[in-house]
Amino acid sequence: MNKSKSAYSVAGKKGKLDTHIIVVWVDNEAGVLARVVGLFSGRGYNIESLAVAEIDSKLNISRITIVTTGTPQVIDQIKLQLKKLVPVHKVADFKREDKQVIFKEMALFKLVGNNNKRSKALNACKKFNAVLLDRTNKSCVIQITALRREIDKMSKNLKKFGLVSVSRTGAVAMTRGAETFK
Amino acid sequence: MPKLLSGAEIVFKCLEDQSVEYIFGYPGGAVLPIYDELKNHSSIKHILVRHEQGAGHAAEGYARSSGKPGVVLVTSGPGATNVVTALTDAYMDSIPLVCISGQVPTHLIGTDAFQECDTTGITRPCTKHNWLVKDIKDLSKIIHKAFEVATTGRPGPVLVDIPKDVQFQKTNYPKFKKQNKSNGKIHNQYQQKDIDELIKLMSKAKKPIFYTGGGVINSGPKASDLLRELVAATGFPITSTLQGLGCFPGDDKNFLGMLGMHGTYEANNAMHDCDLMINIGARFDDRITGKIDEFSPGSKKVHIDIDPSSINKNVKVDLPIVGDVQSVISSIIKTIKKTKPNFINSNKQQISKWWEQIEKWREKKSLDYINSNETIKPQYAVQRLYELTKNKDTFITTEVGQHQMWAAQHYKFDKPNRWMTSGGLGTMGYGLPAAVGVQIAHPDKLVVDIAGEASVLMTIQEMSTAVQYNLPIKIFILNNEYMGMVRQWQELLHEKNYSESYTAALPDFVKLAEAYGCVGIRAKTPEELDDKIIEMINTDRPVIFDCLVDKQENCFPMIPSGKPHNQMLLGPKDQEQNKITGKGKTLV
């Protein structure tokens, strides 16, 4: 038996981790992001990515989309703890595998190289709504929107075409169909 | 045109409209406009503490003993940081506090101005919510909202940070319409079918137990009355957490005593072996559950709590009931009366074996200790204090450590709001200022802080507050010259390496009492103890009582870390009988 030298119990078994996308509607006021993020760091929850912006300037509402991992119990806690915050209006939770929900991230790639490399790169990005935002003789900036893992893959693949810089957003989510989350 | 009021005036208008009678505070540069305004509001009395932490704990003691929110007023920078411990303490134990702090003028925020700190940033994780008031027009709305947030749902501390220029600015004060307290309705998310399900479980249970906590007390005195009715209507055994003591009479035959790390043998074994656990307003704290994986393995668990995030946080439960304790118990009682009016009799047979088993556990008398004629045993001191004060409607506060556990084990409470102790955060230095707050709320009652000599020194300066306001609090110090609980852990877990847990230089507490202008009493032997305690009770002034107790005594029973409830370490009497060797002791 492990002899515990502590006033606390030893950690129990760890459960299976799932990836969830948590969407939070909040009052757009000073410090609200710090409250949400502080809750995550303070209670030891993960944040894989984060996207936040005001979505209703009249009602002053911002929408925060957080990708996180945790056991089902932890995910439940995250939702319940978020709902307790005063500026939080509602909290939605989607599994990453959920087919009823669209998840998208955007990435900007800067490539340095000749025309040939550029067209090859554009071609490789084709599937992901590629847009050429800027071009010079020596460089270009390509924008794509895709899933996280697809962007991961592309930022690896584009290295050979002269990729020098990547900038990407956190995921945003929207349900399919006419329904909205109440 | 209505008269324009300054920010400072609006603060007091709000406090008046919230029926605040006392503020605990300490002035400073950034709150001077508010202090200047104090003289114009005779219905509000300010209690000047000696340190802002003391203000926070005093407000906690006031809130816990009166059921009203405690109000704290501090200045910016160090004033705000000093109150952080008390805010965190109130957050952990769900105590309603409204803290108003001064802040440097808005144009200086962010410039590292004199006595500036990021107060809302620092207190964000230790309050339910906080506000920095940047616009005078928001001030009254925010303060009223602050009271609402602090007192509704699961209560807790809030903070309103007011920059000095906002305290000077002027605006209208709209008439305050007192809303019906939303505490209750919106938090009651349960339905009758949940109650029906619970009654079904209760009527099937052969080994049921009620496990009650501070939520019963926070729900108001009516909840405690209903709890007594519920236990009488079911005949079930009941145990309580540290925070819940007092919501059920400590000397009732159905009461198994406190549970948890230093709970009784019968309470912990009953929790382990039960087949139905009904948690009312408790939160499956780690001091209660011990090893989670082996916590009460065979039971259906029901959890009644006003805070949805408490459900399934530590322990997965079978039937969650989210609601205010008072309204849930009342629904349960109503349903029993309607559907099973004969519950107690039809049930008696079914749980009789369970009671037999509990009686066997009780025979262990796990709170027993070996008394002495030469030295005062700390348990004996608490017992004598209880016997000599039990007819007086006494209010007890404590510090944190062995004395706290002995007080919880040996002082029997029969009313709610009589027991104020720092459970969640475990704040040494809580009890003395808390006693100040309790005495403010109950000027004619006996208020005793059962203290340890190490804890009490952390906030001893508040004796000066007690003297200033003629608060006859009694500081009953169980003096063993050690940080007793630290010493106990070191004895059991760290091969008796008593690293830094002995205080080699202590003040003479009797002389210290005299220096503060109060009364010092010392008891050295069991023989003189009763007389000295009576002398203390009869003194109508603040008293520091230096009770010299056995230095080696440990607090038993005890669930060693990482162990389930049914593997308790019992006291020396039992250890002698069962010949637990030194090796067994260190296997903790």
Side-chain angles (χ1 to χ4, degrees), chain B residues 103-156:
Chain B
Q103 181 57 279
V104 300
T106 31
H107 72 276
L108 286 179
I109 290 179
T111 66
D112 298 326
F114 176 62
Q115 292 197 327
E116 183 194 355
C117 73
D118 177 8
T119 304
T120 47
I122 290 170
T123 57
R124 200 173 285 133
C126 61
T127 53
K128 274 183 88 179
H129 195 62
N130 59 20
W131 296 263
L132 170 62
V133 186
K134 283 189 162 166
D135 187 340
I136 178 75
K137 290 199 191 76
D138 298 331
L139 182 61
S140 62
K141 201 174 65 198
I142 286 175
I143 295 181
H144 288 306
K145 178 81 179 168
F147 275 88
E148 187 195 318
V149 172
T151 54
T152 55
R154 180 177 176 176

Side-chain angles (χ1 to χ4, degrees), chain A residues 4 6-7 34-35 73 77 84, chain B residues 130 287 307 309 312 561 588:
Chain A
S4 166
S6 148
R35 280 181 213 286
Q73 209 174 349
Q77 267 296 302
K84 273 168 60 172
Chain B
N130 59 20
R287 303 289 99 169
D307 176 7
S309 73
N312 292 334
S561 60
V588 191

Side-chain angles (χ1 to χ4, degrees), chain A residues 60-74:
Chain A
N60 219 16
I61 302 286
S62 286
R63 180 163 166 154
I64 305 177
T65 310
I66 301 167
V67 181
T68 184
T69 54
T71 59
Q73 209 174 349
V74 165

